[in-house]
Amino acid sequence: MKKKLPIILIIMLFVTSINPLMVNGLSPFPLEINNEAYEPKNMPFVWEDSIFLPLREIGEKIGYEVKWDENRRAVDLTRNNESLKLYVDSNEIVLNGGALTLYHLPVVKEDRVYVGIDLFSNYLENIVAFSNGYTKISIDEKRPSTEGIFTESKDEALKNKLKHFMKIYTENQNFQGSVLVARGNEILLNDGYGYSNEVLGIRNNNQTKFAIGSITKQFVGAGIVQLEEKGLLNFDDKVSQYVAGLKHGDKITIHHLLTHTSGLVNATELLEFYELTESTPMEIVNLVKDMDLIFNPGERFAYNNTNYILLGMILEKVSGETMEDYFHHHFFEPAGMKNTGVSYGKRPGFNIATPYQGYVETYEVDDQPLLENAYGAGNVYSTVEDIYRWNEALEGETVLSKAAKEKLFKGHAEMGGLQYAYGWMVGEDQGGQFYQHDGSTLGFSALSRKHVDKDTTIVILANRRLQKVYEIAAALEVILNGGNIEDNQIPKLPEAIEMNPKEYERYIGRYNVLNPLNMDNMVMDVFVEEDQLFLQVDEQEIVEIFSKGNHQFFTKIMDAHMIFELGEDGIAHKIVFTQMGMDFKGYKEGYEKEEVVIEEEILKNYVGVYELEEGFDLKITLENGILYLTPTGQGTMELSPISQTKFELMVVDASMDFIVEENGAVNSLYYQQGAYEKVAHRK
């Protein structure tokens, strides 16, 4: 039996153990400048946690005129309208007339000036990146974005509000990535935040390359639609026509794959997936080809990367091109996406930001096992500017005809208030129609969102797993719509509060917790070692947890939080574990929860539909003596009674209290979820 990955990833996977900066000295780093191999005459070297490069040699190679001022012991670099003066015996530089301070003091070695590599990225604004394991350095010149869609907006007030929000959000939430916001073919925000590489202090900018994860599916979907339009395949074709050996290939259609309704097992949830190296797509499919279906094809939606790995194989077989070549010829080149490609492909340019995981503390990770094996499910890298180019190309008919786009964006499978189309999630809000897709790898997060009726685009790419891209996008849209996000509305990362280790005793124990994703039980062990409190989930890696006061704890390496509820004896009997927006609730082993018995006639009074917000209802149903809640566009959840009128949700940290009037009628309920509180009235 193949083993599935744990659903709660408390710690990072594939932490890289390679750090070339631990030893000072000469380092024969292969260099690549503007996607071409370059062998420097003067060898780079490592010193004080940085890589030092020969200033004149590299500066001239990337197009700067370099002059030495002997009297002032200074170096002048000029290129077009750029100018930089660097003093050899000082950290001070003058960049385009403004004074700045370098992190690393320049070094003179054999009458040559060497500078930390961050000078080329942070001050001369080139794109500096490293291959996995720091075996290669790449330096690329930023290319000007001169197309009409990159016209700078003249709305200074709005631009400043967006810029200020991202500044405070980055400070408070340790965001690292790039963000682009556009409206009506005008740029409102286009900048980088945090570090592309933390060790070397290299900052992200608007042309930093990131793995985009499942946004890759947009290109696969578009490719399949193109082939269908040419009459080379049909959406109703069986997968067995193109891929042999799949147990249920004669039941599953291309349409099922495109809409995640195939019922196949998700290969990327198997540990064996991450153990494969230099694999082929068929080797990935072999992991699941003989497994039974989870459900009958077309029966329901279940997001599944196996679907798009298979679609990539079909695209290659029908088109006669590799997926990498097809993307370049049909999408990347026509749309002007020169900084986009396939990870670990044959084409040059795969120089992406360093991937990280973490929360308060971050850790570099090795994303190669996923990016090499993801294929059509998630192996493309890009920039915020190129994803914006892609969205704009889809507005016209540069890459797809009008008829093809109608097929691409037509929603089919229901998915929590949205519909899944062909590689896109589509939906409507009060402002009209939008389409979007997010992506996540072991060390990257991404979101591309186009609001069609408002003609706005938001692209967020980050080199840290599980960055809150939807939270950022929602705040940016509030500002775009004329609203405000106050600084105090942006939460700060938690800080650990010192506790007397003796206080930890009240929390220790084994908690049996309900997993809301599959309704299975999980075990959470809380214990003390050497005066520190630790948590272990289902025999996963042990992580330390830290107090933030009021019986609340958090981990520093993952955005995960715990709240303990104490009984009258001062001992914890319940835990609420929150991660990725989901709540996992459970009780300590041996704790006997007081049973609340409610007569069925009373429960019948609670049945009905209650309006919580305009267009959003809470539907209460009764089955076999148990109340169930079905919110608009979501699944059905069991309600657990706390009292004769109050119930809690075990899958979400929320409760509702039915309001009984003097005559016994129930026409409203009080709903509470976190800080959100509201009375919902019966419809």
Side-chain angles (χ1 to χ4, degrees):
M1 177 181 289
K2 292 185 170 63
K3 190 173 181 181
K4 285 195 173 184
L5 281 171
I7 292 176
I8 302 182
L9 295 175
I10 295 294
I11 66 164
M12 75 298 300
L13 298 173
F14 307 104
V15 178
T16 179
S17 60
I18 302 170
N19 185 353
L21 306 182
M22 295 178 67
V23 180
N24 293 326
L26 295 174
S27 300
F29 291 106
L31 274 176
E32 195 175 83
I33 297 179
N34 293 328
N35 292 329
E36 293 183 359
Y38 177 73
E39 186 173 345
K41 299 181 181 67
N42 304 286
M43 189 178 294
F45 64 89
V46 173
W47 183 255
E48 294 183 347
D49 289 333
S50 186
I51 298 172
F52 280 76
L53 301 178
L55 178 58
R56 177 181 291 277
E57 182 178 354
I58 303 301
E60 290 178 343
K61 181 64 180 176
I62 58 178
Y64 286 89
E65 182 180 0
V66 183
K67 293 183 179 180
W68 169 250
D69 185 339
E70 178 65 36
N71 293 329
R72 305 179 69 180
R73 289 183 57 78
V75 182
D76 289 300
L77 287 84
T78 55
R79 184 179 69 179
N80 300 325
N81 296 323
E82 297 176 76
S83 66
L84 183 145
K85 181 179 286 290
L86 176 147
Y87 299 93
V88 170
D89 302 316
S90 171
N91 286 62
E92 294 183 5
I93 63 171
V94 179
L95 179 64
N96 299 326
L100 296 169
T101 302
L102 287 176
Y103 184 75
H104 296 286
L105 191 72
V107 174
V108 177
K109 184 179 177 64
E110 297 178 352
D111 294 329
R112 292 181 178 86
V113 177
Y114 288 76
V115 293
I117 195 169
D118 54 300
L119 174 80
F120 292 96
S121 63
N122 299 349
Y123 302 100
L124 299 181
E125 291 198 337
N126 297 283
I127 315 301
V128 176
F130 304 87
S131 61
N132 183 38
Y134 294 86
T135 56
K136 182 185 69 179
I137 303 170
S138 68
I139 302 175
D140 299 318
E141 296 177 54
K142 286 185 69 175
R143 67 185 184 99
S145 301
T146 57
E147 306 100 306
I149 59 173
F150 284 93
T151 301
E152 187 79 13
S153 171
K154 296 180 181 179
D155 191 338
E156 297 298 329
L158 180 55
K159 289 194 297 183
N160 287 336
K161 286 176 69 174
L162 293 167
K163 184 177 181 179
H164 178 77
F165 166 77
M166 283 307 308
K167 175 180 179 294
I168 302 302
Y169 190 91
T170 299
E171 292 173 357
N172 288 6
Q173 287 289 312
N174 194 22
F175 174 73
Q176 52 194 90
S178 302
V179 179
L180 183 146
V181 180
R183 181 164 64 188
N185 290 345
E186 290 187 342
I187 299 296
L188 291 160
L189 181 69
N190 183 18
D191 212 343
Y193 304 90
Y195 291 100
S196 168
N197 184 285
E198 295 178 3
V199 173
L200 298 173
I202 295 172
R203 301 190 195 111
N204 285 314
N205 61 43
N206 53 17
Q207 290 187 14
T208 301
K209 300 173 186 176
F210 303 86
I212 62 172
S214 288
I215 294 179
T216 300
K217 294 178 174 69
Q218 297 177 6
F219 303 107
V220 176
I224 295 295
V225 168
Q226 277 187 337
L227 296 175
E228 189 272 343
E229 189 173 46
K230 293 176 181 177
L232 298 177
L233 56 76
N234 292 306
F235 298 135
D236 292 330
D237 287 346
K238 298 294 190 292
V239 175
S240 56
Q241 294 177 230
Y242 305 97
V243 181
L246 196 64
K247 183 176 181 180
H248 300 284
D250 57 346
K251 298 179 182 179
I252 301 167
T253 66
I254 289 176
H255 173 79
H256 291 143
L257 298 179
L258 285 165
T259 56
H260 294 297
T261 56
S262 68
L264 288 165
V265 172
N266 189 353
T268 59
E269 289 184 358
L270 303 175
L271 285 172
E272 290 85 352
F273 172 85
Y274 297 92
E275 295 169 353
L276 292 173
T277 57
E278 299 181 1
S279 64
T280 65
M282 194 63 222
E283 287 178 290
I284 304 300
V285 174
N286 285 342
L287 296 175
V288 302
K289 70 174 185 177
D290 296 321
M291 292 184 175
D292 290 332
L293 296 175
I294 300 171
F295 53 83
N296 292 324
E299 188 174 277
R300 61 184 175 88
F301 171 88
Y303 193 87
N304 183 342
N305 287 318
T306 306
N307 295 324
Y308 275 75
I309 292 172
L310 284 164
L311 286 168
M313 296 169 65
I314 293 171
L315 184 148
E316 290 187 336
K317 184 168 185 175
V318 174
S319 70
E321 295 184 83
T322 66
M323 191 175 69
E324 180 180 12
D325 285 342
Y326 192 95
F327 286 175
H328 273 276
H329 295 154
H330 296 270
F331 303 136
F332 302 161
E333 290 174 1
M337 301 167 66
K338 295 182 179 179
N339 287 326
T340 301
V342 168
S343 303
Y344 298 99
K346 67 179 183 180
R347 294 171 179 267
F350 176 56
N351 309 311
I352 62 175
T354 301
Y356 293 93
Q357 288 188 9
Y359 181 45
V360 177
E361 297 174 350
T362 56
Y363 301 84
E364 187 176 332
V365 295
D366 181 3
D367 223 343
Q368 186 170 349
L370 189 147
L371 295 181
E372 277 192 325
N373 296 336
Y375 299 106
N379 69 350
V380 168
Y381 67 85
S382 191
T383 67
V384 290
E385 292 189 344
D386 271 6
I387 296 299
Y388 173 54
R389 288 184 173 96
W390 167 243
N391 278 313
E392 291 304 303
L394 289 171
E395 288 293 294
E397 298 189 28
T398 303
V399 293
L400 289 178
S401 68
K402 181 179 179 181
K405 287 187 293 183
E406 288 177 356
K407 297 172 184 176
L408 186 72
F409 292 116
K410 182 180 179 181
H412 294 281
E414 294 292 334
M415 51 168 300
L418 301 175
Q419 288 187 316
Y420 204 88
Y422 287 173
W424 289 85
M425 303 170 188
V426 298
E428 288 190 14
D429 58 19
Q430 293 179 344
Q433 186 185 31
F434 62 85
Y435 49 82
Q436 65 187 29
H437 211 295
D438 59 278
S440 180
T441 72
L442 296 177
F444 292 92
S445 307
L447 174 65
S448 173
R449 178 176 166 90
K450 173 75 174 183
H451 208 293
V452 181
D453 295 321
K454 293 182 178 180
D455 197 14
T456 59
T457 299
I458 295 175
V459 184
I460 304 168
L461 304 181
N463 56 318
R464 182 145 56 90
R465 177 176 168 82
L466 299 180
Q467 293 272 254
K468 298 175 182 177
V469 291
Y470 279 105
E471 177 180 276
I472 297 170
L476 293 172
E477 285 197 343
V478 168
I479 297 171
L480 280 172
N481 295 333
N484 292 303
I485 303 292
E486 302 297 334
D487 291 358
N488 59 13
Q489 292 179 271
I490 305 171
K492 295 182 179 181
L493 293 177
E495 295 182 2
I497 296 175
E498 287 191 18
M499 282 187 67
N500 185 333
K502 293 182 180 179
E503 293 292 313
Y504 293 152
E505 297 295 327
R506 66 176 64 189
Y507 306 111
I508 63 174
R510 169 164 288 187
Y511 296 81
N512 295 311
V513 177
L514 180 68
N515 187 332
L517 292 175
N518 55 20
M519 304 310 289
D520 288 342
N521 287 320
M522 301 186 305
V523 172
M524 292 188 178
D525 287 311
V526 179
F527 57 93
V528 175
E529 280 188 7
E530 297 182 355
D531 291 338
Q532 293 173 306
L533 194 61
F534 293 92
L535 171 73
Q536 185 178 31
V537 180
D538 275 349
E539 299 184 354
Q540 295 181 44
E541 294 292 333
I542 297 168
V543 293
E544 186 176 1
I545 59 177
F546 301 86
S547 172
K548 53 182 178 178
N550 198 27
H551 311 301
Q552 300 181 49
F553 292 79
F554 68 98
T555 73
K556 290 185 177 181
I557 62 173
M558 186 64 72
D559 188 1
H561 304 261
M562 294 123 268
I563 299 176
F564 292 92
E565 291 187 12
L566 277 56
E568 294 181 358
D569 58 0
I571 303 299
H573 62 266
K574 180 181 178 182
I575 188 172
V576 178
F577 180 97
T578 302
Q579 186 180 14
M580 295 185 292
M582 295 179 290
D583 295 316
F584 302 75
K585 297 181 179 180
Y587 291 88
K588 184 180 291 185
E589 200 168 86
Y591 173 78
E592 294 185 9
K593 182 183 175 184
E594 183 178 347
E595 185 178 3
V596 178
V597 179
I598 305 176
E599 295 180 4
E600 189 158 343
E601 289 302 314
I602 295 176
L603 293 175
K604 288 179 180 178
N605 289 335
Y606 302 149
V607 173
V609 178
Y610 301 78
E611 184 179 57
L612 188 64
E613 300 281 357
E614 184 178 352
F616 188 85
D617 298 331
L618 304 176
K619 182 180 179 182
I620 308 297
T621 54
L622 177 64
E623 185 178 339
N624 297 325
I626 299 173
L627 283 184
Y628 292 90
L629 166 69
T630 307
T632 298
Q634 299 181 30
T636 299
M637 297 166 276
E638 182 179 340
L639 293 172
S640 178
I642 300 173
S643 69
Q644 292 293 306
T645 61
K646 189 172 183 178
F647 296 76
E648 68 173 342
L649 285 161
M650 291 303 294
V651 297
V652 180
D653 191 17
S655 65
M656 58 188 65
D657 197 347
F658 293 93
I659 300 172
V660 182
E661 299 175 2
E662 290 185 4
N663 61 2
V666 177
N667 292 307
S668 57
L669 62 84
Y670 174 74
Y671 183 87
Q672 183 176 17
Q673 183 174 351
Y676 179 86
E677 302 177 11
K678 191 166 184 179
V679 174
H681 297 282
R682 186 189 290 272
K683 296 181 73 172

